[in-house]
Amino acid sequence: MLRNLYKVTGTYRHFNGVVYDSVYDLNGKWIGYIDSAKLSVENQGPAISDERYTTVTSANYSIWQNFSWKMRASSSSYLHQTLKIKYRYEHLNGSVYFSLYDNQDNWVGYINANATKVADNAAGAVLFSGQYGTVTSKNYSIWQNFSWKEKNKSANVYGQTLQVKRYYNHFNGSTYYSLYDNRGTWQGYINSGGMKMADNAAGSAQSYHKKIKFTQNFPLWQNFNWKKKSTVTDAMKQETYEARYVYRHFNGSNYLSIYDNKGIWQGYINESATRQVN
């Protein structure tokens, strides 16, 4: 029974001068009487080695300095951060507490396990997004898994807008996006440094700066909520405009941001309704 956790329900001062405690296990089964001098008061129980990773998922918990409930920090300071559990404590109050460390091996404190989500590996728990991002670097690997098996290279999807359905705040300090194309096909995990997140499915503006002419009477859009700004007229097809930026939309089309020769913005138009001129 050494180092096990028990509940003391009564104390008896024997005629022989010894104080005995009546002890029960945590399931309420009576164990017997024991010399109280052989017990130590540890409501938190013994430290149990753990070595897992967990992500803080609630901002509403205290992180404790000790089990006298001195507050060390708020869980809001570590929200969505992945930390290492070195030890856990199965407290007499029915809760489990994790002893957490950051990736510099600095002790963070004790936190109720309900404030976190334990992960399968150092990538941490899955977090949900639904945002869109454009691949802006050619120098990143796209991973098959967090054992770092390469699935693709960012150079092969450079400039594409993809959906970030999920992301992971890895224990190593980096964020990894789980990417999907517009057919719902999973593309892999990429370090967030290889992408630029966008406000909508149009993706991020990319430099274009080419002279164009309109070839069709397509709408010019005010925004990517498809509010129409105007429509290309036959007269406009005779003029030359500057396409300063291109948006490689998640829907598979490219949209150009158009300016006239006075620098006045005309709107966004599908690239297929234009041609380049010298």
Side-chain angles (χ1 to χ4, degrees), residues 4-192:
N4 286 345
L5 185 64
Y6 300 98
K7 184 176 182 180
V8 176
T9 62
T11 299
Y12 300 86
R13 300 183 183 277
H14 198 278
F15 181 73
N16 64 13
V18 177
V19 177
Y20 293 92
D21 290 326
S22 179
V23 295
Y24 289 74
D25 68 17
L26 297 185
N27 295 316
K29 180 182 178 182
W30 185 62
I31 302 300
Y33 301 105
I34 190 171
D35 185 341
S36 63
K38 296 180 179 179
L39 295 177
S40 62
V41 179
E42 292 184 350
N43 287 337
Q44 75 275 13
I48 302 170
S49 183
D50 201 306
E51 301 298 322
R52 291 179 295 170
Y53 298 90
T54 195
T55 302
V56 178
T57 53
S58 174
N60 302 317
Y61 281 74
S62 295
I63 297 175
W64 304 107
Q65 175 73 31
N66 52 42
F67 289 107
S68 296
W69 312 120
K70 179 181 179 182
M71 186 172 170
R72 180 179 175 90
S74 170
S75 63
S76 61
S77 300
Y78 294 89
L79 186 63
H80 296 159
Q81 188 170 333
T82 298
L83 300 164
K84 188 170 187 179
I85 309 166
K86 287 196 176 182
Y87 306 99
R88 72 180 185 275
Y89 296 83
E90 298 176 355
H91 200 284
L92 195 62
N93 65 14
S95 294
V96 173
Y97 293 86
F98 294 149
S99 183
L100 300 180
Y101 290 76
D102 66 20
N103 62 6
Q104 302 299 311
D105 207 34
N106 297 311
W107 184 58
V108 172
Y110 303 113
I111 193 169
N112 190 306
N114 291 335
T116 76
K117 185 176 181 181
V118 175
D120 295 331
N121 52 51
V126 60
L127 301 166
F128 296 93
S129 173
Q131 291 180 279
Y132 299 88
T134 302
V135 179
T136 53
S137 174
K138 297 179 180 180
N139 302 318
Y140 282 77
S141 292
I142 297 176
W143 304 106
Q144 175 73 33
N145 53 43
F146 290 111
S147 296
W148 311 120
K149 178 182 178 182
E150 191 174 68
K151 180 177 173 68
N152 200 355
K153 296 182 183 298
S154 63
N156 296 329
V157 290
Y158 177 74
Q160 287 188 29
T161 298
L162 298 166
Q163 188 173 25
V164 179
K165 289 190 177 181
R166 302 171 182 84
Y167 67 100
Y168 299 80
N169 289 332
H170 199 286
F171 184 67
N172 66 15
S174 294
T175 296
Y176 293 87
Y177 296 145
S178 184
L179 303 178
Y180 290 78
D181 66 17
N182 60 7
R183 296 179 296 278
T185 303
W186 183 62
Q187 301 298 300
Y189 304 113
I190 191 173
N191 188 302
S192 61

